[in-house]
PDB file of all heavy atoms in Angstrom:
ATOM      1  N   VAL A 549     104.140  55.131 109.710  1.00 98.00           N
ATOM      2  CA  VAL A 549     102.785  54.844 110.319  1.00 98.00           C
ATOM      3  C   VAL A 549     102.451  53.343 110.185  1.00 98.00           C
ATOM      4  O   VAL A 549     102.491  52.751 109.078  1.00 98.00           O
ATOM      5  CB  VAL A 549     101.690  55.675 109.717  1.00 98.00           C
ATOM      6  CG1 VAL A 549     100.363  55.313 110.308  1.00 98.00           C
ATOM      7  CG2 VAL A 549     101.995  57.180 109.841  1.00 98.00           C
ATOM      8  N   ALA A 550     102.085  52.699 111.301  1.00 97.00           N
ATOM      9  CA  ALA A 550     101.683  51.295 111.289  1.00 97.00           C
ATOM     10  C   ALA A 550     100.156  51.238 111.485  1.00 97.00           C
ATOM     11  O   ALA A 550      99.602  51.694 112.413  1.00 97.00           O
ATOM     12  CB  ALA A 550     102.365  50.561 112.462  1.00 97.00           C
ATOM     13  N   THR A 551      99.493  50.691 110.389  1.00 96.00           N
ATOM     14  CA  THR A 551      98.043  50.588 110.412  1.00 96.00           C
ATOM     15  C   THR A 551      97.624  49.228 110.968  1.00 96.00           C
ATOM     16  O   THR A 551      98.393  48.322 111.163  1.00 96.00           O
ATOM     17  CB  THR A 551      97.495  50.716 109.000  1.00 96.00           C
ATOM     18  OG1 THR A 551      98.026  49.696 108.159  1.00 96.00           O
ATOM     19  CG2 THR A 551      97.840  52.119 108.414  1.00 96.00           C
ATOM     20  N   GLN A 552      96.310  49.124 111.182  1.00 93.00           N
ATOM     21  CA  GLN A 552      95.636  47.916 111.718  1.00 93.00           C
ATOM     22  C   GLN A 552      96.226  47.506 113.103  1.00 93.00           C
ATOM     23  O   GLN A 552      96.534  46.344 113.328  1.00 93.00           O
ATOM     24  CB  GLN A 552      95.750  46.750 110.742  1.00 93.00           C
ATOM     25  CG  GLN A 552      94.979  46.995 109.448  1.00 93.00           C
ATOM     26  CD  GLN A 552      94.703  45.734 108.647  1.00 93.00           C
ATOM     27  OE1 GLN A 552      94.706  44.685 109.176  1.00 93.00           O
ATOM     28  NE2 GLN A 552      94.592  45.859 107.376  1.00 93.00           N
ATOM     29  N   SER A 553      96.341  48.508 113.932  1.00 91.00           N
ATOM     30  CA  SER A 553      96.851  48.206 115.263  1.00 91.00           C
ATOM     31  C   SER A 553      95.872  47.395 116.139  1.00 91.00           C
ATOM     32  O   SER A 553      96.235  46.910 117.190  1.00 91.00           O
ATOM     33  CB  SER A 553      97.147  49.527 116.049  1.00 91.00           C
ATOM     34  OG  SER A 553      95.983  50.266 116.208  1.00 91.00           O
ATOM     35  N   GLU A 554      94.621  47.226 115.614  1.00 91.00           N
ATOM     36  CA  GLU A 554      93.655  46.437 116.350  1.00 91.00           C
ATOM     37  C   GLU A 554      93.927  44.942 116.225  1.00 91.00           C
ATOM     38  O   GLU A 554      93.364  44.132 117.007  1.00 91.00           O
ATOM     39  CB  GLU A 554      92.253  46.742 115.836  1.00 91.00           C
ATOM     40  CG  GLU A 554      91.895  46.197 114.498  1.00 91.00           C
ATOM     41  CD  GLU A 554      92.330  47.001 113.303  1.00 91.00           C
ATOM     42  OE1 GLU A 554      93.044  48.053 113.552  1.00 91.00           O
ATOM     43  OE2 GLU A 554      91.952  46.698 112.154  1.00 91.00           O
ATOM     44  N   VAL A 555      94.759  44.495 115.276  1.00 88.00           N
ATOM     45  CA  VAL A 555      95.077  43.080 115.170  1.00 88.00           C
ATOM     46  C   VAL A 555      96.386  42.762 115.853  1.00 88.00           C
ATOM     47  O   VAL A 555      97.117  43.603 116.236  1.00 88.00           O
ATOM     48  CB  VAL A 555      95.194  42.714 113.611  1.00 88.00           C
ATOM     49  CG1 VAL A 555      93.920  43.064 112.908  1.00 88.00           C
ATOM     50  CG2 VAL A 555      96.409  43.408 112.970  1.00 88.00           C
ATOM     51  N   ASP A 556      96.575  41.428 116.062  1.00 85.00           N
ATOM     52  CA  ASP A 556      97.846  41.008 116.747  1.00 85.00           C
ATOM     53  C   ASP A 556      99.005  41.406 115.892  1.00 85.00           C
ATOM     54  O   ASP A 556      99.068  41.282 114.678  1.00 85.00           O
ATOM     55  CB  ASP A 556      97.773  39.516 116.910  1.00 85.00           C
ATOM     56  CG  ASP A 556      96.772  39.089 117.928  1.00 85.00           C
ATOM     57  OD1 ASP A 556      96.356  39.919 118.761  1.00 85.00           O
ATOM     58  OD2 ASP A 556      96.278  37.897 117.859  1.00 85.00           O
ATOM     59  N   LEU A 557     100.088  41.866 116.608  1.00 84.00           N
ATOM     60  CA  LEU A 557     101.339  42.287 115.919  1.00 84.00           C
ATOM     61  C   LEU A 557     101.993  41.114 115.305  1.00 84.00           C
ATOM     62  O   LEU A 557     102.141  40.070 115.970  1.00 84.00           O
ATOM     63  CB  LEU A 557     102.250  43.004 116.911  1.00 84.00           C
ATOM     64  CG  LEU A 557     103.504  43.580 116.384  1.00 84.00           C
ATOM     65  CD1 LEU A 557     103.218  44.742 115.491  1.00 84.00           C
ATOM     66  CD2 LEU A 557     104.389  44.021 117.529  1.00 84.00           C
ATOM     67  N   ILE A 558     102.391  41.234 114.045  1.00 91.00           N
ATOM     68  CA  ILE A 558     103.097  40.182 113.308  1.00 91.00           C
ATOM     69  C   ILE A 558     104.572  40.652 113.078  1.00 91.00           C
ATOM     70  O   ILE A 558     104.753  41.794 112.708  1.00 91.00           O
ATOM     71  CB  ILE A 558     102.459  39.826 112.006  1.00 91.00           C
ATOM     72  CG1 ILE A 558     101.031  39.293 112.203  1.00 91.00           C
ATOM     73  CG2 ILE A 558     103.260  38.831 111.170  1.00 91.00           C
ATOM     74  CD1 ILE A 558     100.272  39.004 110.926  1.00 91.00           C
ATOM     75  N   THR A 559     105.460  39.717 113.315  1.00 95.00           N
ATOM     76  CA  THR A 559     106.899  40.103 113.068  1.00 95.00           C
ATOM     77  C   THR A 559     107.136  40.380 111.587  1.00 95.00           C
ATOM     78  O   THR A 559     106.779  39.570 110.729  1.00 95.00           O
ATOM     79  CB  THR A 559     107.821  38.967 113.513  1.00 95.00           C
ATOM     80  OG1 THR A 559     107.616  38.714 114.945  1.00 95.00           O
ATOM     81  CG2 THR A 559     109.273  39.332 113.278  1.00 95.00           C
ATOM     82  N   GLN A 560     107.718  41.506 111.293  1.00 96.00           N
ATOM     83  CA  GLN A 560     107.925  41.906 109.902  1.00 96.00           C
ATOM     84  C   GLN A 560     109.091  41.135 109.322  1.00 96.00           C
ATOM     85  O   GLN A 560     110.100  40.939 110.012  1.00 96.00           O
ATOM     86  CB  GLN A 560     108.174  43.370 109.779  1.00 96.00           C
ATOM     87  CG  GLN A 560     106.954  44.241 110.107  1.00 96.00           C
ATOM     88  CD  GLN A 560     105.861  44.098 109.070  1.00 96.00           C
ATOM     89  OE1 GLN A 560     106.093  44.316 107.901  1.00 96.00           O
ATOM     90  NE2 GLN A 560     104.662  43.740 109.537  1.00 96.00           N
ATOM     91  N   ARG A 561     108.979  40.721 108.085  1.00 96.00           N
ATOM     92  CA  ARG A 561     110.061  39.926 107.429  1.00 96.00           C
ATOM     93  C   ARG A 561     111.054  40.891 106.878  1.00 96.00           C
ATOM     94  O   ARG A 561     111.074  41.223 105.656  1.00 96.00           O
ATOM     95  CB  ARG A 561     109.386  39.091 106.278  1.00 96.00           C
ATOM     96  CG  ARG A 561     110.306  38.077 105.739  1.00 96.00           C
ATOM     97  CD  ARG A 561     109.576  37.166 104.748  1.00 96.00           C
ATOM     98  NE  ARG A 561     108.559  36.349 105.467  1.00 96.00           N
ATOM     99  CZ  ARG A 561     107.467  35.826 104.851  1.00 96.00           C
ATOM    100  NH1 ARG A 561     107.268  35.996 103.609  1.00 96.00           N
ATOM    101  NH2 ARG A 561     106.671  35.079 105.581  1.00 96.00           N
ATOM    102  N   TYR A 562     111.863  41.363 107.789  1.00 97.00           N
ATOM    103  CA  TYR A 562     112.984  42.282 107.420  1.00 97.00           C
ATOM    104  C   TYR A 562     114.045  42.079 108.436  1.00 97.00           C
ATOM    105  O   TYR A 562     113.871  41.567 109.546  1.00 97.00           O
ATOM    106  CB  TYR A 562     112.464  43.723 107.445  1.00 97.00           C
ATOM    107  CG  TYR A 562     113.433  44.734 106.832  1.00 97.00           C
ATOM    108  CD1 TYR A 562     113.769  44.689 105.433  1.00 97.00           C
ATOM    109  CD2 TYR A 562     114.046  45.720 107.652  1.00 97.00           C
ATOM    110  CE1 TYR A 562     114.669  45.547 104.950  1.00 97.00           C
ATOM    111  CE2 TYR A 562     114.952  46.578 107.109  1.00 97.00           C
ATOM    112  CZ  TYR A 562     115.211  46.504 105.766  1.00 97.00           C
ATOM    113  OH  TYR A 562     116.157  47.364 105.208  1.00 97.00           O
ATOM    114  N   GLU A 563     115.246  42.552 108.140  1.00 96.00           N
ATOM    115  CA  GLU A 563     116.456  42.305 108.989  1.00 96.00           C
ATOM    116  C   GLU A 563     116.358  42.860 110.372  1.00 96.00           C
ATOM    117  O   GLU A 563     116.935  42.351 111.290  1.00 96.00           O
ATOM    118  CB  GLU A 563     117.711  42.807 108.234  1.00 96.00           C
ATOM    119  CG  GLU A 563     117.647  44.297 107.890  1.00 96.00           C
ATOM    120  CD  GLU A 563     118.809  44.694 106.975  1.00 96.00           C
ATOM    121  OE1 GLU A 563     119.122  43.976 106.055  1.00 96.00           O
ATOM    122  OE2 GLU A 563     119.330  45.823 107.179  1.00 96.00           O
ATOM    123  N   VAL A 564     115.628  43.984 110.471  1.00 96.00           N
ATOM    124  CA  VAL A 564     115.320  44.552 111.776  1.00 96.00           C
ATOM    125  C   VAL A 564     113.870  44.945 111.844  1.00 96.00           C
ATOM    126  O   VAL A 564     113.233  45.144 110.814  1.00 96.00           O
ATOM    127  CB  VAL A 564     116.207  45.813 112.099  1.00 96.00           C
ATOM    128  CG1 VAL A 564     117.645  45.417 112.210  1.00 96.00           C
ATOM    129  CG2 VAL A 564     115.984  46.907 111.073  1.00 96.00           C
ATOM    130  N   GLN A 565     113.286  45.051 112.994  1.00 97.00           N
ATOM    131  CA  GLN A 565     111.937  45.395 113.160  1.00 97.00           C
ATOM    132  C   GLN A 565     111.734  46.947 112.973  1.00 97.00           C
ATOM    133  O   GLN A 565     112.701  47.708 113.182  1.00 97.00           O
ATOM    134  CB  GLN A 565     111.350  44.934 114.495  1.00 97.00           C
ATOM    135  CG  GLN A 565     111.208  43.430 114.558  1.00 97.00           C
ATOM    136  CD  GLN A 565     110.432  42.824 113.387  1.00 97.00           C
ATOM    137  OE1 GLN A 565     109.271  43.083 113.289  1.00 97.00           O
ATOM    138  NE2 GLN A 565     111.113  42.048 112.515  1.00 97.00           N
TER     139      GLN A 565
END
Side-chain angles (χ1 to χ4, degrees):
V549 178
T551 60
Q552 295 196 26
S553 64
E554 74 276 5
V555 303
D556 292 336
L557 185 67
I558 296 177
T559 301
Q560 293 291 306
R561 192 173 292 159
Y562 190 66
E563 57 192 40
V564 295
Q565 291 306 293

